[in-house]
Amino acid sequence: MKILIIIPAFNEEENLGDLIKKIKKYDNENNLDILVINDQSTDETSLVCKREGVNVIDLPCNLGIGGAVQTGYKFAAMHNYDIAIQVDGDGQHNPEYIEKLIEPIIQGHSTMVIGSRYIEHLGFQSSSVRRMGIWYLKYLINTLTGLKITDPTSGYRACNKEIIQLFSSNYPKDYPEPESIMYIKRKGLTVLEIPVIMNERIGGESSINLHRSIYYMIKVSLAILFDKIRKESF
Amino acid sequence: MIPLKLQIILLLFILLAIVQLTRMITRYKLDLKYALLWILLTMTALLLVIFPQLLSKTANILSIETPTNALFLLAILLILAIIFSLTIALSRASNKIKNISQELGILRYEFESYKKNIGKE
């Protein structure tokens, strides 16, 4: 079974080294391939990866999180990977959950598995403002699709081959996490959540700051609504 | 109606625009696809300058009091159409750039690892 870990990274030199070390320590049998997508970082993100001996794709233009992640899925599709795991480059995601994340996929219970902070409510729970936003998105997706996704913005996810193919041909652009759940549901595929514990980011900066969060909420809401009325064939 | 002098000046402007449009299209500087709306705009303007009474008629049909206002409405609608077509073109182009960037990033990576393997042998 070929498994690829996709790590989108934009200016994450402070966090990436630790993350890669953690993954390697976790994966001592070396079953996992790691691929960092460097989205035109201005710091030494690419160098850190090379120093750690990890494969890195340096994008020639800044594509944003959606475009960067999709590059990973395109790579996974090209190289015939069976499972792709998305891990944020900021170190919020603990590699120790990888096994739990891919288990339902290997057993064929689900096509996609999301790691959620809000099932057991342990570890870093994000700020209250963000929790409100996530809560709202949870209800929006729930009313529109009936899916119960407690952590729709979580970027800690694993996908099977079918979804790798789907994402490599079409993936939402700017803030893709909630929208991609709609997309998968529309395609008749299944999403499952498992509880994980996340960390607070140590260094660097989040891509969503306070004044961008209003834009984020409006854009994501509209994206979800538009996806609802989209036909299945798109 | 409209003074002859103004009519002639406007006519000159429009003819100049038509000449420029045609020149750019024939020299492949402007894609016909994107020029279509501009051609429509110049043709409408040409028609209205030669037959100004058309504008009064349009105003009448739309129950707009003065022909000038009908002209503004027409002009703004056409301009909006052009701007919208630009947004569509931009979306398409940015999608293509995204795909090319992804492909280029992957290819560059594959090329580097290929080079490394060649070096080892």
Side-chain angles (χ1 to χ4, degrees):
Chain A
M1 184 148 296
K2 281 178 81 181
I3 302 172
L4 181 71
I5 297 185
I6 301 167
I7 308 175
F10 176 69
N11 291 351
E12 297 287 7
E13 60 176 4
E14 291 172 62
N15 304 315
L16 214 47
D18 281 347
L19 175 67
I20 292 167
K21 280 192 193 101
K22 264 203 231 163
I23 295 175
K24 283 192 166 162
K25 204 172 141 198
Y26 166 81
D27 175 40
N28 44 27
E29 284 167 30
N30 216 2
N31 294 320
L32 310 170
D33 293 341
I34 303 174
L35 178 70
V36 176
I37 316 290
N38 172 24
D39 195 12
Q40 275 249 309
S41 299
T42 48
D43 66 359
E44 304 205 318
T45 296
S46 184
L47 223 73
V48 170
C49 298
K50 279 169 190 149
R51 209 181 296 141
E52 297 290 336
V54 162
N55 296 330
V56 55
I57 288 181
D58 296 302
L59 291 175
C61 310
N62 180 276
L63 296 180
I65 174 86
V69 167
Q70 194 188 24
T71 311
Y73 284 112
K74 282 186 175 174
F75 184 88
M78 267 179 198
H79 293 268
N80 230 354
Y81 278 93
D82 299 297
I83 294 177
I85 305 165
Q86 224 178 290
V87 179
D88 282 357
D90 58 10
Q92 282 198 68
H93 303 154
N94 288 315
E96 59 202 81
Y97 295 104
I98 286 175
E99 206 181 317
K100 275 193 192 159
L101 215 57
I102 60 178
E103 204 181 73
I105 293 175
I106 294 171
Q107 291 173 345
H109 292 322
S110 186
T111 50
M112 185 190 215
V113 182
I114 300 174
S116 167
R117 287 163 278 190
Y118 304 117
I119 294 176
E120 290 181 345
H121 297 281
L122 295 173
F124 177 60
Q125 297 284 299
S126 201
S127 67
S128 56
V129 178
R130 280 193 194 194
R131 274 209 305 278
M132 258 170 58
I134 291 166
W135 180 86
Y136 157 77
L137 287 174
K138 176 175 102 180
Y139 278 91
L140 186 63
I141 291 174
N142 184 247
T143 9
L144 292 177
T145 66
L147 280 176
K148 281 203 172 66
I149 305 293
T150 58
D151 199 352
T153 61
S154 164
Y156 197 14
R157 5 180 106 183
C159 307
N160 75 351
K161 224 171 185 168
E162 213 178 339
I163 294 195
I164 291 174
Q165 288 296 337
L166 208 64
F167 281 173
S168 69
S169 64
N170 187 16
Y171 193 69
K173 270 187 195 159
D174 303 331
Y175 306 117
E177 289 87 6
E179 198 184 336
S180 60
I181 296 171
M182 298 291 293
Y183 180 43
I184 283 170
K185 170 79 182 166
R186 179 157 52 84
K187 289 287 177 183
L189 300 164
T190 51
V191 190
L192 192 82
E193 274 191 320
I194 59 146
V196 298
I197 294 174
M198 291 191 192
N199 319 314
E200 198 162 354
R201 77 161 39 240
I202 302 157
E205 248 178 75
S206 166
S207 57
I208 301 168
N209 50 35
L210 197 78
H211 81 270
R212 242 187 250 170
S213 58
I214 295 168
Y215 171 70
Y216 175 90
M217 291 314 293
I218 294 171
K219 212 230 126 199
V220 171
S221 302
L222 282 175
I224 289 173
L225 285 171
F226 274 116
D227 198 270
K228 177 68 190 167
I229 56 176
R230 217 169 254 150
K231 294 214 169 64
E232 204 194 293
S233 52
F234 281 96
Chain B
M1 288 299 276
I2 163 174
L4 188 67
K5 204 166 134 198
L6 178 63
Q7 205 173 4
I8 289 169
I9 291 170
L10 288 176
L11 197 62
L12 275 176
F13 265 116
I14 292 163
L15 287 177
L16 212 70
I18 291 174
V19 168
Q20 181 65 3
L21 264 177
T22 324
R23 249 167 54 130
M24 292 194 79
I25 293 168
T26 50
R27 289 178 188 186
Y28 297 107
K29 295 242 164 113
L30 183 64
D31 273 355
L32 187 60
K33 197 167 115 193
Y34 300 118
L36 284 175
L37 276 168
W38 288 109
I39 293 172
L40 178 69
L41 184 94
T42 46
M43 288 304 141
T44 318
L46 192 66
L47 215 67
L48 289 180
V49 167
I50 298 171
F51 309 106
Q53 59 274 25
L54 277 176
L55 198 60
S56 320
K57 277 196 187 120
T58 324
N60 255 335
I61 293 166
L62 297 172
S63 19
I64 294 170
E65 248 174 68
T66 52
T68 346
N69 282 340
L71 180 68
F72 283 140
L73 179 70
L74 225 66
I76 289 170
L77 284 181
L78 259 169
I79 289 168
L80 281 179
I82 289 174
I83 294 173
F84 190 62
S85 79
L86 288 179
T87 317
I88 294 171
L90 179 67
S91 299
R92 256 194 227 128
S94 72
N95 240 330
K96 283 175 189 165
I97 292 172
K98 186 205 76 183
N99 288 336
I100 290 169
S101 303
Q102 291 173 330
E103 198 86 352
L104 180 61
I106 293 173
L107 274 178
R108 205 198 264 160
Y109 163 81
E110 309 255 328
F111 178 65
E112 290 297 327
S113 40
Y114 180 72
K115 256 196 336 202
K116 247 184 251 163
N117 283 336
I118 291 283
K120 269 184 206 154
E121 276 163 20

